[in-house]
Amino acid sequence: MIEVINLHKSFGEKKVLNGITLTIPDGVTYCIIGRSGCGKSVLIKNIVGLLDPDEGEVIIDGQNIHNLEKDELFRVREKFGFVFQGSALFDSYTVYENVVIGLYERGIRDEKFLVKEAIRTLSAVGLLPKPEEVGTKEFESEWKILKDKMPADLSGGMKKRVAVARALVGNPSYIFYDEPTTGLDPVTSEQVDNLIVELAKKFSITSIIITHDLFSVFKIANYVAMIDDGNLVFDGEVEKLRYSQEPVVREFLERYKTKVV
């Protein structure tokens, strides 16, 4: 479980987070929405320990991460997977190398284990047949082709799936998605939404998604938090967002032309 308690963060004279308090239960899909520059990304950076708050606490599974030593914080971060906006694959690395790089950076060099993890996660995101088919001619053919592909050889949807596979290695408890459908066509966006829902159910992962795509929010989220100018203006079940009478929320919903009634 993630608990954010009275979180404040400023950069110089600019107040970015103004006393944010929220709880993200285990196993849910939790979307964080709001206008550009409202503080969403700063909130996530505080949650994962990339920034230190000016005031307040972030509790991950009972540990206040901003009181941890460096090596302790790294161990907590092993619980996290990240899917970056635009996928952020390394152009000079193959699909296989991109997927296992996080494990490699942790000092894991067992090639059999790395291959097994790559196959497991690439199968989970639908880029390979199921792992139990390993050894079949069909599987070996597809694996041989996919593992050595470069990012430039992949479609936008395939890049996103490889990015998700990379986030799944090591069986994280939490996956953070940064604008996962930005720049994708409607069909591919729907496929990504379906993948997020499927993986959340299959692996009981807590998914935290930053997004502007309210169609995705109403499709995938269990809970939603909305931030406006550093303040938490909504936090609750996704269906309740439709009927919120908070003016800032209503304006946001109407601006993005989402059917809310």
Side-chain angles (χ1 to χ4, degrees):
M1 182 170 67
I2 297 174
E3 299 172 88
V4 178
I5 304 170
N6 193 35
L7 201 69
H8 293 257
K9 185 65 180 178
S10 297
F11 297 99
E13 298 295 319
K14 174 66 174 177
K15 185 82 170 180
V16 180
L17 298 177
N18 187 28
I20 301 291
T21 295
L22 53 84
T23 298
I24 303 176
D26 289 337
V28 304
T29 299
Y30 193 101
C31 286
I32 301 173
I33 64 174
R35 295 175 292 182
S36 297
C38 71
K40 303 186 300 296
S41 295
V42 173
L43 173 61
I44 294 300
K45 288 177 181 178
N46 275 269
I47 289 176
V48 302
L50 292 175
L51 291 174
D52 289 323
D54 300 328
E55 181 182 342
E57 299 178 319
V58 175
I59 312 296
I60 308 290
D61 297 335
Q63 292 182 285
N64 185 338
I65 65 167
H66 297 288
N67 289 340
L68 299 179
E69 298 294 331
K70 188 175 182 179
D71 59 337
E72 295 174 320
L73 179 58
F74 283 156
R75 285 196 292 272
V76 171
R77 285 178 177 162
E78 290 180 358
K79 299 180 180 183
F80 301 152
F82 299 87
V83 181
F84 299 98
Q85 186 174 353
S87 301
L89 301 181
F90 294 99
D91 292 338
S92 60
Y93 286 6
T94 65
V95 165
Y96 167 68
E97 291 167 337
N98 266 286
V99 170
V100 302
I101 188 171
L103 296 177
Y104 198 84
E105 288 296 315
R106 294 181 199 174
I108 297 173
R109 300 291 187 271
D110 185 334
E111 189 69 18
K112 289 184 177 179
F113 176 77
L114 294 174
V115 168
K116 184 178 179 180
E117 272 294 277
I119 289 173
R120 181 183 71 85
T121 58
L122 287 167
S123 297
V125 301
L127 289 177
L128 284 175
K130 295 179 181 179
E132 53 264 32
E133 296 180 29
V134 170
T136 65
K137 288 184 178 180
E138 178 187 1
F139 185 95
E140 294 304 324
S141 176
E142 292 191 33
W143 168 238
K144 184 178 180 181
I145 293 171
L146 179 63
K147 71 183 181 68
D148 292 327
K149 279 184 177 290
M150 305 301 290
D153 300 323
L154 306 177
S155 67
M158 290 182 70
K159 288 180 181 178
K160 190 67 68 173
R161 288 176 184 270
V162 172
V164 175
R166 179 175 61 187
L168 286 171
V169 295
N171 293 302
S173 301
Y174 306 94
I175 291 190
F176 296 84
Y177 297 85
D178 186 7
E179 300 285 359
T181 59
T182 294
L184 300 178
D185 63 82
V187 173
T188 305
S189 293
E190 185 174 8
Q191 291 173 347
V192 171
D193 287 342
N194 291 338
L195 179 62
I196 292 172
V197 172
E198 177 186 342
L199 294 176
K201 290 179 180 178
K202 183 175 182 179
F203 295 107
S204 299
I205 291 173
T206 304
S207 304
I208 301 99
I209 299 126
I210 296 176
T211 185
H212 291 93
D213 188 343
L214 290 176
F215 292 100
S216 293
V217 169
F218 286 115
K219 182 172 184 178
I220 68 177
N222 304 123
Y223 296 90
V224 181
M226 180 174 171
I227 299 175
D228 184 71
D229 198 24
N231 297 295
L232 188 67
V233 295
F234 180 88
D235 181 26
E237 296 176 1
V238 64
E239 284 303 314
K240 293 182 179 179
L241 181 71
R242 296 181 184 270
Y243 307 106
S244 172
Q245 297 305 307
E246 170 65 43
V248 173
V249 176
R250 299 303 305 175
E251 179 186 0
F252 187 82
L253 292 172
E254 290 166 8
R255 177 172 297 179
Y256 284 88
K257 299 180 181 179
T258 299
K259 185 178 180 181
V260 295
V261 293

